[in-house]
Coordinates of all heavy atoms in Angstrom, one line a residue:
G329 N 30.1 14.4 42.8 CA 29.1 14.1 42.1 C 29.2 14.4 40.5 O 28.5 13.8 39.7
L330 N 30.3 15.2 40.2 CA 30.5 15.3 38.8 C 31.5 14.3 38.3 O 32.5 14.0 38.9 CB 31.1 16.7 38.5 CG 31.6 17.0 37.1 CD1 30.3 17.3 36.1 CD2 32.4 18.1 37.0
L331 N 31.1 13.5 37.3 CA 32.0 12.4 36.7 C 33.2 13.1 36.2 O 33.3 14.0 35.2 CB 31.2 11.6 35.7 CG 32.0 10.4 35.2 CD1 31.8 9.3 36.1 CD2 31.6 10.1 33.7
V332 N 34.4 12.7 36.6 CA 35.7 13.1 36.2 C 36.4 12.0 35.4 O 36.7 11.0 36.0 CB 36.5 13.7 37.4 CG1 37.9 14.1 36.8 CG2 35.9 14.9 37.9
I333 N 36.7 12.3 34.1 CA 37.5 11.3 33.3 C 38.9 12.0 33.1 O 38.9 13.1 32.9 CB 36.7 11.0 32.0 CG1 35.2 10.6 32.2 CG2 37.4 9.9 31.2 CD1 34.4 10.5 31.0
T334 N 39.9 11.2 33.0 CA 41.1 11.7 32.5 C 41.6 11.1 31.2 O 41.3 9.8 31.0 CB 42.3 11.5 33.5 OG1 42.2 10.2 34.0 CG2 42.1 12.5 34.7
D335 N 42.2 11.9 30.4 CA 42.8 11.4 29.2 C 44.1 10.9 29.6 O 45.0 11.5 30.4 CB 42.9 12.6 28.2 CG 43.7 12.2 26.9 OD1 42.9 11.8 25.9 OD2 44.9 12.2 26.7
V336 N 44.5 9.6 29.4 CA 45.8 9.1 29.8 C 46.6 9.0 28.5 O 46.3 8.2 27.4 CB 45.7 7.7 30.3 CG1 46.9 7.1 30.5 CG2 44.8 7.7 31.6
C337 N 47.5 9.9 28.3 CA 48.5 10.0 27.1 C 49.7 10.7 27.7 O 49.8 11.3 28.7 CB 47.8 10.7 26.1 SG 48.6 10.3 24.5
N338 N 50.7 10.7 26.8 CA 52.0 11.3 27.1 C 52.4 12.6 26.3 O 53.2 13.3 26.6 CB 53.2 10.3 27.1 CG 52.8 9.2 28.0 OD1 52.9 9.3 29.2 ND2 52.8 8.0 27.4
C339 N 51.6 12.8 25.3 CA 51.9 13.8 24.3 C 52.1 15.2 24.9 O 52.8 16.1 24.6 CB 51.3 13.8 23.1 SG 49.3 14.1 23.3
E340 N 51.2 15.6 25.8 CA 51.5 16.9 26.5 C 52.6 16.9 27.4 O 53.0 18.0 27.8 CB 50.1 17.2 27.4 CG 48.8 17.2 26.6 CD 48.0 15.9 26.9 OE1 48.4 14.8 26.5 OE2 46.9 16.1 27.6
Y341 N 53.1 15.8 27.7 CA 54.2 15.8 28.8 C 55.8 15.5 28.2 O 56.6 15.6 28.9 CB 53.9 14.6 29.8 CG 52.5 14.9 30.5 CD1 51.3 14.4 29.9 CD2 52.4 15.7 31.6 CE1 50.1 14.6 30.6 CE2 51.3 15.9 32.3 CZ 50.0 15.4 31.6 OH 48.9 15.7 32.3
T342 N 55.7 15.1 26.8 CA 57.0 14.9 26.3 C 57.5 16.3 25.5 O 56.7 17.0 25.0 CB 57.0 13.8 25.4 OG1 55.9 14.0 24.4 CG2 56.8 12.5 26.1
T343 N 58.9 16.5 25.7 CA 59.4 17.6 24.9 C 59.1 17.5 23.3 O 59.0 18.4 22.7 CB 60.9 17.7 25.2 OG1 61.4 16.3 25.2 CG2 61.2 18.5 26.4
H344 N 59.2 16.2 22.9 CA 59.1 16.1 21.5 C 57.5 15.9 21.0 O 57.2 15.9 19.7 CB 59.7 14.8 20.9 CG 59.5 13.6 21.9 ND1 58.4 13.0 22.0 CD2 60.4 12.9 22.7 CE1 58.3 12.0 22.9 NE2 59.6 11.9 23.2

Side-chain angles (χ1 to χ4, degrees):
L330 177 72
L331 187 85
V332 177
I333 307 171
T334 47
D335 180 88
V336 175
C337 196
N338 297 301
C339 57
E340 300 104 291
Y341 301 92
T342 51
T343 37
H344 45 66

